[in-house]
Amino acid sequence: MSGPSTFVPKSALGRWFESRLPIMGLIHGSFVAYPTPRNLNYWWAFGAILSFMLVAQIITGIVLTMHYTPQVDLAFASVEHIMRDVNWGWFLRYAHSNGASMFFVAVYVHMFRGLYYGSYKAPREVLWILGVIIYLLMMATGFLGYTLPWGQMSFWGATVITNFFTAIPLVGDAVTTWLWGGYSVGNPTLNRFFALHYLLPFMIAGVVVLHVWALHVVGQNNPAGVEVKNVDRDTVPFTPYATIKDSFAVVCFMILYAWFIFYVPNYLGHADNYIEANPLSTPAHIVPEWYYLPFYAILRAIPSKLGGVTAMFGSIAILAFLPWLDTSRVRSASFRPMYRIFFWAFVLCCLGLGYLGAQPAEGGYIIAARLLTAFYFGFFIIILPLLGIFETPKPVPATIADAVLAKNGGAVMNPAE
Amino acid sequence: MISFKSISLAVAISAATFSLAQSSALAQEGGHGPTPHMEKWSFAGMFGTYDKAQLQRGFRVYREVCSACHSLSRLRIGNLADEGGPGFSEGQVKALAAEYQIKDFNDKGEPIQRPGFPSDNFPKIFANEDAAAAVHGKAPPDLSVIAKARSYSRGFPFFLLDMLPGVAYQEHGPDYIHALLNGYTKPDDTKWNEYFPGNQIAMPKPLSDDQVDYTDGSPKTVEQYSRDVAAFLMWAAEPKLEERKRTGLNALIFLFIFAGLLYFTKKKIWADAH
Amino acid sequence: MTTASSVEPTRRDFLFIATGAAGAVGVGAVAWPLISQMNPDASTLAMASIEVDISAVPLGAIMTVKWRGKPVFIRHRTPKEIQEATDVPLAQLPDPQTDKARVQKPDWLVVVGICTHLGCVPIGQAGSRGDYDGWFCPCHGSQYDTSGRIRRGPAPKNLEVPAYSFLSDTKLKIG
């Protein structure tokens, strides 16, 4: 879609520079002239919201490191120091801790949007897989970051999650000792987690560049799920149309974000994390942050250790195979009546698993978690492949312009005409 | 049509998603026993501020009762004069600090005890947790952040409401502390507490009526003492609460105006595309 | 090019392989310190063993000591608890091991207090020792018996028995 840029700088200096490093042309081609489908709804704004959250997390994170101490005897105290003594420290810390949650809220909406509108289908498989990699890096970063305040949940969350690696046959214990730098989670662990927590966001930023690059090669999907056929009729330039729409969406999202920072800053956290880590006393229930709960429920649903860990990682890895598991030729759920039902069932399944992940692992909760785990995998392995064969899709509009016309009752005129 | 329907659905879903953490956050404390009563707190809500007189009374209760076993070591004595706090004067805090004995070294490097300054932290009562446990059986927790470290579950679906504007509820900690201090309901068993998970609490009933002298005419009852000390501990845990809520209001007003401007700009720009 | 390589393929291939192999060895040699630095360091290894006085542990009680950053349970077992541990048929155990193989003196059970599921510290306070009188793990509900063997729940193995020896009747060396 984005061919060689036709951008020509207006000033002579600009032209001189552009002929040596065509960076203005690159930016112009990617964020100004780049054609976006004209029928995108606000669910497509979450890419911009995610970019904003990544930048917000990196900036608040960098300034927090100027006050934080990654040492087991001092870490908890240094976070309290940030909250009590550092100028605006309470704001920076709440913005960062709630920012992680907002980041995951946005990424889940973004992923479910992709799932609903079939954004992973050819030719967007690589784009989708890069997204799965970003999501994995986000999960790793979030986990590492949650360790740093060195509260009870930090410590025991880190203990439970690093113990996943002991499930690896033969080398599991050696790998875990290597990760810890000792025989349990301790000071070397905290130190390296801090180093890696600082590193990973920049790796995320790197993969985001690839993700956006891949997006600009194949072009955006859209609610109709049909490809752009006529750039003039089907698309609008990124700037000003998408820019202003995304800006509005980002600011609306910031209202939500601000609400959490200023009025319910501890709502998404765990009270136990205000108790300093104690390696000799395990809290009654160890629960991860809310954004990991569905996977935690899957882990606990399987009665064997290796099986549970495998199922948990498998539940994320299976996302990477989605483009080939979904056999339907129609992208958008708008034209797939049966898929739409299963999609919402899948959303409910994930929410249910999330709820169960927060409950004690006993009795009825375990049985429910097993049923939902079965549905989770069944959705990918059985339902999606079969739906493509048995489902009769509704007629798909020929072009994006037709889809817009149908929606607006024929009142649409193209600015280019 | 589709997008409209999915918006409403997704709003409901994302609301549910956020809240899952809360159920977990509170599961631990709330598993057993009755749910603490939701008290009225001056610092609750969007416009909440601390009641200075209450914080001063609460500090008095802490100092005369709790501080026998519980430290407050993450606070400096001088914090009592900070803006948004109990509002003691500089002079009062200086006099108060001098009543504490602080471990230090003299110019020969010998360990000494000297009167405290406002810049000193509240002294620790025990050298370490084991020393405290040796005396009390179980180490009495430091109270600096206790109001945020204790919580309870309101259960489904109420925990979902706790984050929403208008009904947001963030006072689980003070409510729990207040309930706990009033929860010694078996007169013949001073270690039985209605609100403590498992009911067997290591701390024997700490407060009784007329124990602490109030000079402002407030009732000298366990009820009032526990309410005041819970408020004081909330301030100790979240000393920047007033600043936070004030800043938040400005931030939200700005964001709403900015969002409005962007919305109309967006409409204007898109007018020629539709 | 094609003619050249077909004329003297052996010598040229050898040169390529040798160069590539030398490069790989060099990269590996530099990578190893970078990987190895994450393993336990000398200060961690120095705390490898501890000595514990067990004379003050009453019958039926459990003493917890810290060893290599992990809790170790030293349990002074009652005759009833020893009986329970020895009476269980091995066939009923997920990780079959006799009690005899797990203790040096039947009165004293020494185990690492780390659940073999995901590393939590099982609870052993009187009254909350689980269904088998041993330990109960609060994280995911594993139950251990009076020999520290897994009986129910997701943990795959018995509580680990650390290397230890009795220096005297009241003195224990762990590690």
Side-chain angles (χ1 to χ4, degrees), chain A residues 169-405:
Chain A
L170 300 176
V171 293
D173 286 335
V175 167
T176 312
T177 302
W178 176 74
L179 280 174
W180 286 335
Y183 303 103
S184 56
V185 174
N187 194 53
T189 324
L190 176 61
N191 243 295
R192 65 192 53 178
F193 278 16
F194 176 61
L196 294 173
H197 182 68
Y198 205 125
L199 167 71
L200 286 192
F202 297 98
M203 293 179 64
I204 293 177
V207 186
V208 166
V209 169
L210 296 180
H211 190 65
V212 173
W213 186 8
L215 174 73
H216 286 208
V217 169
V218 294
Q220 276 159 298
N221 184 30
N222 59 79
V226 291
E227 290 295 323
V228 170
K229 300 203 170 92
N230 177 329
V231 171
D232 285 338
R233 277 174 52 83
D234 292 347
T235 71
V236 289
F238 191 86
T239 300
Y241 296 100
T243 321
I244 191 71
K245 196 173 173 181
D246 285 350
S247 303
F248 172 61
V250 167
V251 172
C252 288
F253 192 78
M254 283 168 79
I255 292 173
L256 176 75
Y257 185 18
W259 170 258
F260 272 87
I261 296 173
F262 293 110
Y263 293 103
V264 286
N266 291 308
Y267 180 79
L268 296 165
H270 195 298
D272 275 1
N273 227 26
Y274 281 106
I275 303 170
E276 192 167 1
N278 179 357
L280 297 185
S281 158
T282 313
H285 297 297
I286 296 182
V287 273
E289 289 280 78
W290 67 266
Y291 34 85
Y292 303 124
L293 288 173
F295 304 104
Y296 196 58
I298 291 175
L299 167 82
R300 300 193 305 182
I302 312 287
S304 106
K305 178 168 164 174
L306 182 59
V309 173
T310 311
M312 191 192 68
F313 283 110
S315 65
I316 303 165
I318 201 163
L319 291 170
F321 299 94
L322 183 57
W324 296 277
L325 290 169
D326 183 350
T327 51
S328 174
R329 254 173 290 167
V330 176
R331 281 205 194 97
S332 173
S334 307
F335 310 106
R336 298 185 60 189
M338 284 171 74
Y339 173 67
R340 194 160 9 149
I341 295 166
F342 282 110
F343 169 82
W344 287 113
F346 181 69
V347 172
L348 289 177
C349 165
C350 292
L351 290 173
L353 282 170
Y355 177 75
L356 293 169
Q359 303 308 315
E362 56 198 29
Y365 293 129
I366 290 267
I367 296 164
R370 283 184 189 151
L371 290 173
L372 289 182
T373 301
F375 180 80
Y376 182 98
F377 284 102
F379 176 77
F380 289 106
I381 298 170
I382 301 164
I383 295 171
L384 280 180
L386 291 183
L387 266 188
I389 299 164
F390 293 109
E391 184 182 48
T392 317
K394 291 198 264 184
V396 176
T399 66
I400 291 172
D402 288 349
V404 177
L405 276 167

Side-chain angles (χ1 to χ4, degrees), chain B residues 6-27:
Chain B
S6 15
I7 285 169
S8 47
L9 257 169
V11 166
I13 282 155
S14 42
T17 317
F18 297 138
S19 324
L20 288 170
Q22 194 63 0
S23 63
S24 58
L26 303 174

Side-chain angles (χ1 to χ4, degrees), chain A residues 38 43 76 80 84-85 90 94 105 116 241 248 259 262-263 265 267-269 271-272 274 276 290 351 415, chain B residues 2 10 17-19 21-22 25 28 74-76 144 148 159 163 236 238 240 244-245 248-249 259 270 272-273:
Chain A
R38 53 189 304 135
W43 299 117
F76 188 87
E80 277 304 309
R84 291 165 190 278
D85 298 334
W90 60 267
Y94 279 154
V105 167
Y116 187 87
Y241 296 100
F248 172 61
W259 170 258
F262 293 110
Y263 293 103
Y267 180 79
L268 296 165
D272 275 1
Y274 281 106
E276 192 167 1
W290 67 266
L351 290 173
Chain B
I2 287 148
T17 317
F18 297 138
S19 324
Q22 194 63 0
Q28 187 196 350
R74 298 192 194 280
L75 274 75
R76 283 184 302 279
S144 310
K148 289 198 282 188
F159 76 85
M163 65 167 171
E238 190 78 357
K240 302 297 175 76
R244 165 160 65 78
K245 294 191 171 180
L249 197 62
W270 277 79
D272 59 353

Side-chain angles (χ1 to χ4, degrees), chain C residues 127-142:
Chain C
S128 49
R129 288 178 171 176
D131 296 348
Y132 299 92
D133 234 4
W135 285 270
F136 169 74
C137 183
C139 293
H140 305 96
S142 293

Side-chain angles (χ1 to χ4, degrees), chain C residues 1 4-6 8-19:
Chain C
M1 202 60 206
S5 58
S6 63
E8 41 173 4
T10 329
R11 195 188 292 174
R12 185 176 288 249
D13 287 355
F14 176 77
L15 182 64
F16 286 179
I17 290 166
T19 310

Side-chain angles (χ1 to χ4, degrees), chain B residues 83-230:
Chain B
E83 200 189 326
F88 286 106
S89 70
E90 299 283 341
Q92 281 173 309
V93 168
K94 213 170 165 186
L96 180 79
E99 292 174 27
Y100 285 94
Q101 286 295 307
I102 306 291
K103 288 198 180 94
D104 205 345
F105 296 94
N106 65 14
D107 54 4
K108 298 193 187 73
E110 296 154 346
I112 54 159
Q113 298 265 344
R114 60 157 175 83
F117 301 115
S119 57
D120 288 316
N121 280 37
F122 281 95
K124 286 191 169 154
I125 297 165
F126 294 96
N128 52 51
E129 201 164 305
D130 287 342
V135 173
H136 293 286
K138 190 168 183 290
D142 183 275
L143 297 186
S144 310
V145 276
I146 203 81
K148 289 198 282 188
R150 293 291 181 275
S151 201
Y152 68 91
S153 174
R154 295 216 296 143
F156 184 83
F158 300 103
F159 76 85
L160 293 169
L161 301 178
D162 290 349
M163 65 167 171
L164 298 178
V167 291
Y169 173 56
Q170 288 288 287
E171 289 73 37
H172 302 77
D175 277 340
Y176 173 76
I177 293 169
H178 172 264
L180 185 88
L181 291 172
N182 285 292
Y184 294 89
T185 45
K186 283 193 180 170
D188 55 335
D189 187 353
T190 61
K191 291 200 168 190
W192 193 93
N193 193 298
E194 200 179 337
Y195 292 97
F196 189 75
N199 297 123
Q200 287 300 316
I201 187 166
M203 171 173 73
K205 187 176 191 301
L207 292 167
S208 49
D209 290 349
D210 293 319
Q211 189 177 1
V212 179
D213 197 21
Y214 277 169
T215 51
D216 65 353
S218 300
K220 296 183 219 174
T221 58
V222 170
E223 217 294 318
Q224 187 65 35
Y225 293 152
S226 55
R227 185 179 298 272
D228 292 345
V229 81

